[in-house]
Amino acid sequence: MAQGNFEVVVAGIRQLTPRVREFLLRSAGGAPLPEYTAGAHVALHTMSAERGLIVRHYSLVGGQDLADDARDTYRIAVQREDHARGSAHIHASFEVGTRLRIGPPLNNFPLDRRDANVLLLAGGIGITPIFSMARSLVRRQRNFRVFYAGRNAEGMAYHGELAQLAGERVRFHYSDTQGHPDLEALLREQAEGTTVYVCGPARMIEATQAAAARLGWAPARVRSEMFGAGFSGVATPFEVRLRRSGRTVHVGADTSILDALLNEGVPVLWDCRRGECGLCPLPVVSCNGAIEHHDRYLSAEEKAAGETLCICVSRTRGGELVLDA
Ligand SMILES: Cc1cc2nc3c(=O)[nH]c(=O)nc-3n(C[C@H](O)[C@H](O)[C@H](O)COP(=O)(O)OP(=O)(O)OC[C@H]3O[C@@H](n4cnc5c(N)ncnc54)[C@H](O)[C@@H]3O)c2cc1C
Ligand code: FES
């Protein structure tokens, strides 16, 4: 097992909506799992008989209501995507008793509890970290509002729980009947100096940032987390050889090079996992298949030169890739 990972057992399953299922993951040995703060997520490592290793990331929900889950338990909610590989595998194969590995909690979307006024903004399955933040703010009696948009109430995970938790501070938006929300109007109604935490589809995050910019808000007042990463194509498995250590790691069709290396305990740097931040690129020593660059960080010239590659989203079309790591 790669260092820092934990073995857990699926201890409970709840169907929240037709497409979203909640899983309770309990520490296999009964020891407490690491503590985390609202906005954190874990990497879930699972093996598919057909597709091999699949690593996907899921936000920690924290609890069903105001009370925290027990210290040996994490709660996640997974939406089954239509085209999908990882989430479909999880829905199809996880049952009570299934054992799997998870990475330690990471938080790239931390809630600053010093914010005087907070607007939590969720789109679809983006509710998972937002629900956890709402719990945290209710418990600390902070000023906040929450806006949760989805197609309709039946398809929105934690709809009832959020209504119960946040009372009149929550506003629901149903796009089937109400169309797209007017995010600029929403921001305009907020108290002076409000900080926004938004999690949802890329379009919603971009629209929130654009609305804030039009209103003259400082960019730092909009904090976001996007679930979809940079890759959505058809991929081929291949081998990565690490020149310095001489190790070879298999990268399955449903896994990034980054996740395959982390799974084997290879120390590599990363942050965004979307091909944007520039922390993960590694020098390419050789590659006997075509490199597919899926990042937005490297320039067109750097991509054409093929001397470096963002391991979070880019890959090859088969063969062996040798990296200087
Ligand atoms: C921080 C974070 C928190 C998240 N929290 C939640 C949550 O609470 N609930 C939820 O339902 N979803 C969450 N997600 C999304 C989740 O991790 C999956 O992306 C989602 O379940 C869809 O996975 P899929 O395998 O079904 O779809 P796919 O489209 O197969 O894969 C989704 C992502 O996996 C990566 N990937 C797949 N194949 C490759 C490949 N060949 N090469 C490189 N990368 C590849 C890509 O990043 C891709 O965008 C979160 C994502 C992040 C980053
Ligand atoms: S982790 Fe940010 S570019 Fe790869």
Side-chain angles (χ1 to χ4, degrees), residues 189-207:
E189 319 171 341
Q190 303 307 311
E192 183 76 23
T194 294
T195 305
V196 180
Y197 292 81
V198 52
C199 185
R203 273 185 320 225
M204 182 180 198
I205 294 173
E206 284 157 13

Side-chain angles (χ1 to χ4, degrees), residues 146-206:
V146 52
F147 183 88
Y148 181 13
R151 287 201 185 145
N152 49 56
E154 298 69 43
M156 292 162 72
Y158 301 114
H159 184 283
E161 285 95 334
L162 185 65
Q164 185 106 31
L165 185 78
E168 58 189 25
R169 285 176 284 206
V170 64
R171 195 192 308 168
F172 295 103
H173 181 95
Y174 308 114
S175 55
D176 272 355
T177 50
Q178 296 172 278
H180 286 313
D182 182 344
L183 296 173
E184 188 170 328
L186 178 69
L187 297 195
R188 208 180 294 114
E189 319 171 341
Q190 303 307 311
E192 183 76 23
T194 294
T195 305
V196 180
Y197 292 81
V198 52
C199 185
R203 273 185 320 225
M204 182 180 198
I205 294 173
E206 284 157 13

Side-chain angles (χ1 to χ4, degrees), residues 258 270-281 297 310 312:
L258 174 66
W270 54 273
D271 182 16
C272 71
R273 291 178 174 275
R274 286 194 293 274
E276 289 169 6
C277 72
L279 258 188
C280 74
Y297 175 74
C310 285
C312 64

